[in-house]
Amino acid sequence: MRIYVGTCSWSDHTGFYPPGLPSNQQIGYYAQHFSLVEINSSYYRMMPERNYALWAERTPPRFVFDIKPYKQITWHDRQNPPEAANTAAFSKSIGPLREADKLGVINCQFPPWYVYRPENVSYILGLRQAFPDDQLSVEFRHRSWLVGDHVPELVSQLHSARLGLTIVDEPQLGMGSVPTVLAVTNPATTLVRFHGRNAQMWYAKVKTTGERFDYLYSGKELGEWVPRIHELAAQGVDELHLLFNNNAADYAIQNARQLNLMLENEGLDVANLA
């Protein structure tokens, strides 16, 4: 198993970049320190191919971009349900990452109101047809998906469709959070996202996501993940992507570095491009 460690976004890290570094050079600097990053600006707007082409050019070989698809694809725009044309347009736009062999996981994160029901399962399974050759993973944000007698069947359905189950570390508070389920449903690539454990802010009205994910993991908390990562390896996954979304201050940077070092000390195969 090869492990890639990084952060969700590369622009929200206080004090990480040298003073005066132009924003268009940040991704190149970031890639000197980490082997993986998540693009989440793609969720907010349909970006042109040239953006992805430039990011591919500014990063070294074997650097990997995970990506969140445009929000309409994952039912975040209730007024405008998913359309095949938009899904196809998004798929085409990320073509430069495919061509550069730098496209990692397309992480389909569904909204908290998107609950477990047969028609929603059918839509999710159908994403494989829209992205036949890509690594896809599904992140649930309503507890109904991963609690109940249907969970083994759901895991089997995801496995059959080669859809990863995105594993999360987050506060366990009510229906707007999901448990950490260590299931490898796509042996090619499994994704883990660390959202922090800021229980006080999990349901709070915030101006920025940094307020919700304002949390610095302790060494002990990160250490809890070492045996979990061994457990995932034992299930036979080829690549493991570990992404920190605790994007307040430079917390994601700190924790990504810490976990990276812990895993290296375990003798695990951690991708380092530096």
Coordinates of all heavy atoms in Angstrom, one line a residue, residues 205-274:
K205 N -23.6 28.3 13.0 CA -23.6 29.1 11.8 C -22.3 29.8 11.8 O -21.9 30.6 12.7 CB -24.8 30.1 11.9 CG -26.2 29.4 11.7 CD -27.3 30.5 11.7 CE -28.6 29.8 11.5 NZ -29.7 30.8 11.5
V206 N -21.6 29.6 10.7 CA -20.2 30.2 10.6 C -20.1 31.0 9.3 O -20.8 30.8 8.3 CB -19.1 29.1 10.6 CG1 -19.2 28.4 11.9 CG2 -19.4 28.1 9.5
K207 N -19.2 32.0 9.3 CA -18.9 32.8 8.2 C -17.9 32.1 7.2 O -18.0 32.2 6.0 CB -18.3 34.1 8.6 CG -19.3 35.0 9.3 CD -18.6 36.3 9.7 CE -19.6 37.2 10.4 NZ -19.0 38.6 10.8
T208 N -17.0 31.3 7.8 CA -16.1 30.5 6.9 C -16.0 29.1 7.5 O -16.2 28.8 8.6 CB -14.7 31.1 7.0 OG1 -14.1 31.0 8.3 CG2 -14.7 32.6 6.6
T209 N -15.6 28.2 6.6 CA -15.4 26.8 7.0 C -14.3 26.6 8.0 O -14.3 25.7 8.8 CB -15.1 25.9 5.8 OG1 -14.0 26.3 5.1 CG2 -16.3 25.9 4.8
G210 N -13.4 27.6 8.0 CA -12.3 27.5 8.9 C -12.7 27.5 10.4 O -12.1 27.0 11.3
E211 N -13.9 28.2 10.6 CA -14.4 28.2 12.0 C -15.0 26.8 12.4 O -14.8 26.4 13.5 CB -15.6 29.2 12.1 CG -15.1 30.7 11.8 CD -16.3 31.6 11.8 OE1 -17.0 31.8 12.9 OE2 -16.6 32.2 10.7
R212 N -15.6 26.1 11.5 CA -16.1 24.8 11.8 C -15.0 23.8 12.0 O -15.1 22.9 12.8 CB -17.1 24.4 10.7 CG -17.6 22.9 10.9 CD -18.8 22.6 10.0 NE -20.0 23.4 10.3 CZ -20.5 24.4 9.6 NH1 -20.0 24.7 8.4 NH2 -21.6 25.1 10.0
F213 N -14.0 23.9 11.2 CA -12.9 22.9 11.2 C -11.7 23.5 11.9 O -10.6 23.1 11.6 CB -12.5 22.6 9.8 CG -13.7 22.0 9.0 CD1 -14.1 22.6 7.7 CD2 -14.5 21.0 9.4 CE1 -15.1 22.1 7.0 CE2 -15.6 20.5 8.7 CZ -15.9 21.1 7.5
D214 N -12.0 24.3 12.9 CA -10.9 24.9 13.7 C -10.5 23.9 14.8 O -11.1 23.9 15.9 CB -11.4 26.2 14.4 CG -10.4 27.0 15.1 OD1 -9.2 26.5 15.3 OD2 -10.6 28.1 15.6
Y215 N -9.5 23.1 14.5 CA -9.2 22.0 15.4 C -7.8 21.5 15.1 O -7.5 21.2 13.9 CB -10.1 20.8 15.3 CG -10.0 19.8 16.4 CD1 -10.6 20.0 17.7 CD2 -9.2 18.7 16.2 CE1 -10.4 19.1 18.7 CE2 -9.0 17.8 17.2 CZ -9.6 18.0 18.4 OH -9.4 17.1 19.5
L216 N -6.9 21.4 16.1 CA -5.6 20.9 15.9 C -5.5 19.5 16.6 O -5.7 19.4 17.8 CB -4.5 21.8 16.5 CG -3.1 21.4 16.4 CD1 -2.6 21.3 15.0 CD2 -2.2 22.3 17.3
Y217 N -5.3 18.5 15.8 CA -5.2 17.1 16.4 C -4.0 17.0 17.3 O -2.9 17.5 16.9 CB -5.1 16.1 15.3 CG -6.4 15.8 14.6 CD1 -6.7 16.5 13.4 CD2 -7.3 14.8 15.0 CE1 -7.9 16.2 12.7 CE2 -8.5 14.6 14.3 CZ -8.8 15.3 13.1 OH -9.9 15.0 12.5
S218 N -4.1 16.3 18.4 CA -3.0 16.0 19.2 C -2.2 14.9 18.7 O -2.8 14.1 17.9 CB -3.5 15.7 20.7 OG -4.2 14.5 20.7
G219 N -1.0 14.7 19.1 CA -0.2 13.5 18.7 C -0.9 12.2 19.1 O -0.9 11.2 18.3
K220 N -1.6 12.2 20.3 CA -2.3 11.0 20.7 C -3.4 10.7 19.7 O -3.6 9.5 19.4 CB -2.8 11.2 22.1 CG -3.5 10.0 22.7 CD -4.1 10.2 24.1 CE -4.9 9.0 24.6 NZ -5.4 9.3 26.0
E221 N -4.2 11.7 19.3 CA -5.3 11.5 18.4 C -4.8 11.0 17.1 O -5.5 10.1 16.5 CB -6.1 12.8 18.3 CG -6.9 13.2 19.6 CD -7.5 14.6 19.5 OE1 -6.9 15.4 18.8 OE2 -8.5 14.8 20.2
L222 N -3.8 11.6 16.6 CA -3.2 11.1 15.3 C -2.7 9.6 15.5 O -2.9 8.8 14.5 CB -2.1 12.0 14.8 CG -2.5 13.4 14.4 CD1 -1.3 14.2 14.0 CD2 -3.5 13.4 13.3
G223 N -2.1 9.4 16.6 CA -1.6 8.0 16.8 C -2.7 7.0 16.8 O -2.4 5.8 16.5
E224 N -3.9 7.4 17.1 CA -5.1 6.4 17.0 C -5.2 5.9 15.6 O -5.8 4.8 15.4 CB -6.4 7.1 17.5 CG -6.4 7.5 18.9 CD -7.6 8.4 19.2 OE1 -8.4 8.7 18.3 OE2 -7.7 8.9 20.4
W225 N -4.8 6.6 14.6 CA -5.0 6.2 13.3 C -3.9 5.3 12.7 O -4.1 4.7 11.7 CB -5.0 7.5 12.4 CG -6.4 8.0 12.3 CD1 -7.0 8.9 13.1 CD2 -7.5 7.5 11.4 NE1 -8.3 9.1 12.8 CE2 -8.6 8.2 11.8 CE3 -7.5 6.6 10.4 CZ2 -9.8 8.0 11.1 CZ3 -8.7 6.3 9.7 CH2 -9.8 7.1 10.1
V226 N -2.8 5.1 13.4 CA -1.8 4.2 13.0 C -2.3 2.8 12.9 O -2.2 2.1 11.8 CB -0.5 4.3 13.8 CG1 0.5 3.2 13.4 CG2 0.1 5.7 13.7
P227 N -2.9 2.2 13.9 CA -3.5 0.8 13.8 C -4.6 0.8 12.8 O -4.8 -0.2 12.1 CB -3.9 0.5 15.2 CG -4.1 1.8 15.9 CD -3.1 2.7 15.3
R228 N -5.4 1.9 12.6 CA -6.5 1.9 11.6 C -5.9 1.8 10.2 O -6.5 1.1 9.4 CB -7.3 3.2 11.8 CG -8.1 3.2 13.1 CD -8.8 4.5 13.3 NE -9.6 4.6 14.5 CZ -10.2 5.7 14.9 NH1 -10.2 6.8 14.2 NH2 -10.9 5.7 16.1
I229 N -4.8 2.5 10.0 CA -4.2 2.4 8.7 C -3.6 1.1 8.4 O -3.7 0.6 7.3 CB -3.1 3.6 8.6 CG1 -3.8 4.9 8.5 CG2 -2.2 3.4 7.4 CD1 -2.9 6.1 8.7
H230 N -3.1 0.4 9.4 CA -2.7 -1.0 9.2 C -3.8 -1.9 8.9 O -3.7 -2.8 8.1 CB -2.0 -1.5 10.5 CG -0.5 -1.0 10.6 ND1 0.5 -1.4 9.7 CD2 0.1 -0.2 11.5 CE1 1.6 -0.9 10.1 NE2 1.4 -0.1 11.2
E231 N -5.0 -1.6 9.5 CA -6.2 -2.4 9.2 C -6.7 -2.2 7.8 O -7.1 -3.2 7.1 CB -7.3 -2.0 10.2 CG -8.6 -2.8 10.0 CD -9.7 -2.4 11.0 OE1 -9.4 -1.9 12.1 OE2 -10.9 -2.7 10.7
L232 N -6.6 -1.0 7.3 CA -6.9 -0.7 5.9 C -6.0 -1.4 5.0 O -6.4 -2.0 3.9 CB -7.0 0.8 5.6 CG -8.1 1.6 6.3 CD1 -7.9 3.1 6.1 CD2 -9.5 1.2 5.8
A233 N -4.7 -1.4 5.3 CA -3.7 -2.1 4.5 C -4.0 -3.6 4.4 O -3.9 -4.2 3.4 CB -2.3 -1.9 5.0
A234 N -4.5 -4.1 5.5 CA -4.7 -5.6 5.6 C -5.9 -5.9 4.7 O -6.1 -7.1 4.3 CB -5.0 -6.0 7.0
Q235 N -6.8 -5.0 4.4 CA -7.9 -5.2 3.5 C -7.5 -5.2 2.0 O -8.4 -5.5 1.1 CB -9.0 -4.2 3.8 CG -9.7 -4.3 5.1 CD -10.8 -3.4 5.3 OE1 -11.7 -3.2 4.4 NE2 -10.9 -2.7 6.4
G236 N -6.3 -4.9 1.7 CA -5.8 -5.0 0.4 C -6.0 -3.8 -0.5 O -6.5 -3.9 -1.6
V237 N -5.7 -2.6 0.0 CA -5.9 -1.3 -0.8 C -4.5 -1.0 -1.4 O -3.5 -1.1 -0.7 CB -6.5 -0.2 0.0 CG1 -5.6 0.2 1.2 CG2 -6.7 1.0 -0.8
D238 N -4.5 -0.5 -2.6 CA -3.2 -0.2 -3.3 C -2.7 1.2 -2.9 O -1.5 1.3 -2.6 CB -3.4 -0.2 -4.8 CG -3.7 -1.6 -5.4 OD1 -3.3 -2.6 -4.7 OD2 -4.4 -1.7 -6.4
E239 N -3.6 2.2 -2.8 CA -3.3 3.5 -2.5 C -4.2 4.0 -1.4 O -5.4 3.8 -1.4 CB -3.4 4.5 -3.6 CG -2.2 4.4 -4.6 CD -2.3 5.5 -5.6 OE1 -3.1 6.5 -5.5 OE2 -1.5 5.5 -6.6
L240 N -3.6 4.7 -0.4 CA -4.4 5.3 0.7 C -4.1 6.8 0.6 O -3.0 7.3 0.7 CB -4.0 4.7 2.0 CG -4.8 5.2 3.2 CD1 -6.3 4.9 3.1 CD2 -4.2 4.7 4.5
H241 N -5.2 7.6 0.5 CA -5.1 9.1 0.5 C -5.6 9.6 1.8 O -6.7 9.4 2.2 CB -5.9 9.7 -0.7 CG -5.3 9.4 -2.0 ND1 -5.7 10.0 -3.1 CD2 -4.4 8.5 -2.4 CE1 -5.1 9.6 -4.2 NE2 -4.3 8.6 -3.8
L242 N -4.7 10.4 2.5 CA -5.1 11.0 3.8 C -5.1 12.5 3.7 O -4.0 13.1 3.4 CB -4.1 10.5 4.9 CG -3.8 9.0 5.0 CD1 -2.7 8.7 6.0 CD2 -5.1 8.3 5.4
L243 N -6.2 13.1 3.8 CA -6.4 14.5 3.6 C -6.9 15.2 4.9 O -7.9 14.8 5.4 CB -7.4 14.8 2.5 CG -6.8 14.6 1.0 CD1 -8.0 14.6 0.0 CD2 -5.8 15.6 0.7
F244 N -6.2 16.3 5.2 CA -6.6 17.1 6.4 C -7.4 18.3 6.0 O -7.0 19.1 5.2 CB -5.4 17.5 7.2 CG -4.8 16.4 8.0 CD1 -3.9 15.5 7.5 CD2 -5.2 16.2 9.3 CE1 -3.4 14.4 8.2 CE2 -4.7 15.1 10.1 CZ -3.8 14.2 9.5
N245 N -8.6 18.4 6.5 CA -9.6 19.4 6.2 C -9.7 20.4 7.4 O -10.6 21.3 7.4 CB -10.9 18.9 5.8 CG -11.9 19.9 5.2 OD1 -11.4 20.7 4.4 ND2 -13.1 19.8 5.5
N246 N -8.9 20.3 8.4 CA -9.0 21.2 9.6 C -8.2 22.5 9.2 O -7.1 22.7 9.6 CB -8.4 20.5 10.8 CG -7.0 19.9 10.6 OD1 -6.7 19.5 9.5 ND2 -6.3 19.8 11.7
N247 N -8.9 23.3 8.4 CA -8.2 24.3 7.6 C -8.2 25.7 8.3 O -8.4 26.7 7.7 CB -8.8 24.5 6.2 CG -10.3 24.7 6.2 OD1 -10.9 24.6 7.2 ND2 -10.8 25.1 5.0
A248 N -8.1 25.7 9.6 CA -7.9 27.0 10.4 C -6.4 27.1 10.6 O -5.7 26.2 10.8 CB -8.7 26.9 11.7
A249 N -6.0 28.4 10.6 CA -4.6 28.7 10.8 C -3.7 27.8 9.9 O -4.0 27.7 8.7 CB -4.2 28.5 12.3
D250 N -2.7 27.1 10.5 CA -1.9 26.1 9.7 C -2.1 24.7 10.3 O -1.2 23.9 10.1 CB -0.4 26.5 9.7 CG 0.2 26.4 11.1 OD1 -0.6 26.4 12.1 OD2 1.4 26.4 11.2
Y251 N -3.2 24.5 10.9 CA -3.5 23.2 11.6 C -3.3 22.0 10.6 O -2.8 21.0 11.0 CB -4.8 23.2 12.3 CG -4.9 24.2 13.4 CD1 -6.2 24.5 13.9 CD2 -3.8 24.8 14.0 CE1 -6.3 25.4 14.9 CE2 -3.9 25.7 15.0 CZ -5.2 26.0 15.5 OH -5.3 26.9 16.5
A252 N -3.9 22.1 9.4 CA -3.8 21.0 8.5 C -2.4 20.7 8.1 O -2.0 19.5 8.0 CB -4.7 21.3 7.2
I253 N -1.6 21.7 7.9 CA -0.2 21.5 7.6 C 0.5 20.8 8.7 O 1.3 19.8 8.5 CB 0.5 22.9 7.3 CG1 -0.1 23.5 6.0 CG2 2.0 22.7 7.2 CD1 0.3 22.9 4.7
Q254 N 0.3 21.3 9.9 CA 1.0 20.7 11.1 C 0.6 19.2 11.2 O 1.5 18.4 11.4 CB 0.6 21.4 12.4 CG 1.2 22.8 12.6 CD 0.9 23.3 14.0 OE1 1.1 22.6 14.9 NE2 0.3 24.5 14.0
N255 N -0.7 18.9 11.1 CA -1.1 17.5 11.3 C -0.7 16.6 10.2 O -0.4 15.5 10.4 CB -2.6 17.5 11.6 CG -3.0 18.0 12.9 OD1 -4.2 18.5 13.1 ND2 -2.2 17.9 13.9
A256 N -0.7 17.1 9.0 CA -0.3 16.3 7.8 C 1.2 15.9 8.0 O 1.6 14.8 7.8 CB -0.5 17.0 6.5
R257 N 2.0 16.9 8.4 CA 3.4 16.6 8.7 C 3.6 15.6 9.8 O 4.4 14.6 9.7 CB 4.2 17.9 9.0 CG 4.4 18.8 7.8 CD 5.0 20.1 8.2 NE 5.6 20.8 7.1 CZ 5.9 22.1 7.1 NH1 5.6 22.8 8.2 NH2 6.4 22.7 6.0
Q258 N 2.8 15.7 10.9 CA 2.9 14.8 12.0 C 2.6 13.4 11.6 O 3.3 12.4 11.9 CB 2.0 15.3 13.1 CG 2.5 16.5 13.9 CD 1.5 16.9 15.0 OE1 0.5 17.5 14.7 NE2 1.8 16.5 16.2
L259 N 1.4 13.2 10.9 CA 1.0 11.9 10.6 C 1.9 11.3 9.6 O 2.2 10.1 9.6 CB -0.4 11.9 10.0 CG -1.1 10.6 9.8 CD1 -1.0 9.7 11.0 CD2 -2.5 10.7 9.3
N260 N 2.4 12.1 8.6 CA 3.4 11.6 7.6 C 4.6 11.0 8.3 O 5.0 9.9 8.0 CB 3.8 12.8 6.8 CG 4.4 12.3 5.5 OD1 3.8 12.0 4.5 ND2 5.8 12.3 5.4
L261 N 5.1 11.7 9.3 CA 6.3 11.2 10.1 C 6.0 9.9 10.9 O 6.8 9.0 10.9 CB 6.8 12.3 11.0 CG 8.1 12.0 11.8 CD1 9.2 11.6 10.8 CD2 8.5 13.1 12.7
M262 N 4.8 9.9 11.5 CA 4.4 8.7 12.2 C 4.4 7.5 11.3 O 4.9 6.4 11.7 CB 3.0 8.9 12.8 CG 2.9 9.8 14.0 SD 1.2 9.9 14.7 CE 1.4 11.0 16.0
L263 N 3.8 7.6 10.1 CA 3.7 6.5 9.2 C 5.1 6.1 8.7 O 5.3 4.9 8.5 CB 2.7 6.9 8.1 CG 1.3 7.2 8.6 CD1 0.4 7.6 7.4 CD2 0.7 6.0 9.4
E264 N 5.9 7.0 8.4 CA 7.3 6.7 8.0 C 8.0 5.9 9.1 O 8.7 4.9 8.8 CB 8.1 8.0 7.7 CG 7.7 8.6 6.4 CD 8.5 9.8 6.1 OE1 9.1 10.4 7.0 OE2 8.7 10.2 4.9
N265 N 7.8 6.3 10.3 CA 8.4 5.6 11.4 C 7.9 4.2 11.6 O 8.5 3.3 12.2 CB 8.3 6.4 12.7 CG 9.1 7.7 12.8 OD1 10.1 7.8 12.0 ND2 8.7 8.6 13.6
E266 N 6.7 4.0 11.1 CA 6.1 2.6 11.1 C 6.6 1.7 10.0 O 6.3 0.6 9.9 CB 4.6 2.7 11.0 CG 3.9 3.2 12.2 CD 3.8 2.1 13.3 OE1 3.3 1.0 12.9 OE2 4.2 2.3 14.4
G267 N 7.5 2.3 9.1 CA 8.0 1.6 8.0 C 7.0 1.5 6.8 O 7.3 0.6 5.9
L268 N 6.0 2.3 6.8 CA 5.0 2.2 5.7 C 5.5 3.0 4.5 O 6.4 3.9 4.7 CB 3.7 2.8 6.2 CG 3.0 1.9 7.3 CD1 1.8 2.7 7.9 CD2 2.4 0.7 6.7
D269 N 5.0 2.7 3.4 CA 5.4 3.3 2.1 C 4.7 4.6 1.9 O 3.6 4.7 1.4 CB 5.1 2.4 1.0 CG 5.6 2.9 -0.4 OD1 6.3 4.0 -0.4 OD2 5.3 2.4 -1.4
V270 N 5.3 5.7 2.4 CA 4.7 7.1 2.3 C 5.3 7.8 1.1 O 6.6 7.9 1.0 CB 4.9 7.9 3.6 CG1 4.2 9.2 3.5 CG2 4.4 7.1 4.8
A271 N 4.5 8.3 0.2 CA 5.0 9.0 -1.0 C 5.5 10.4 -0.6 O 4.8 11.2 -0.1 CB 3.9 9.2 -2.0
N272 N 6.8 10.6 -0.8 CA 7.4 11.9 -0.6 C 8.1 12.3 -1.8 O 9.0 11.6 -2.3 CB 8.4 11.9 0.6 CG 7.6 11.8 2.0 OD1 6.7 12.6 2.2 ND2 8.0 10.8 2.8
L273 N 7.8 13.5 -2.3 CA 8.3 13.9 -3.6 C 9.6 14.8 -3.4 O 10.3 15.1 -4.4 CB 7.3 14.7 -4.4 CG 6.0 13.9 -4.7 CD1 5.0 14.7 -5.5 CD2 6.2 12.5 -5.3
A274 N 9.8 15.3 -2.2 CA 10.9 16.2 -2.0 C 12.2 15.5 -2.1 O 12.4 14.4 -1.8 CB 10.8 16.8 -0.6

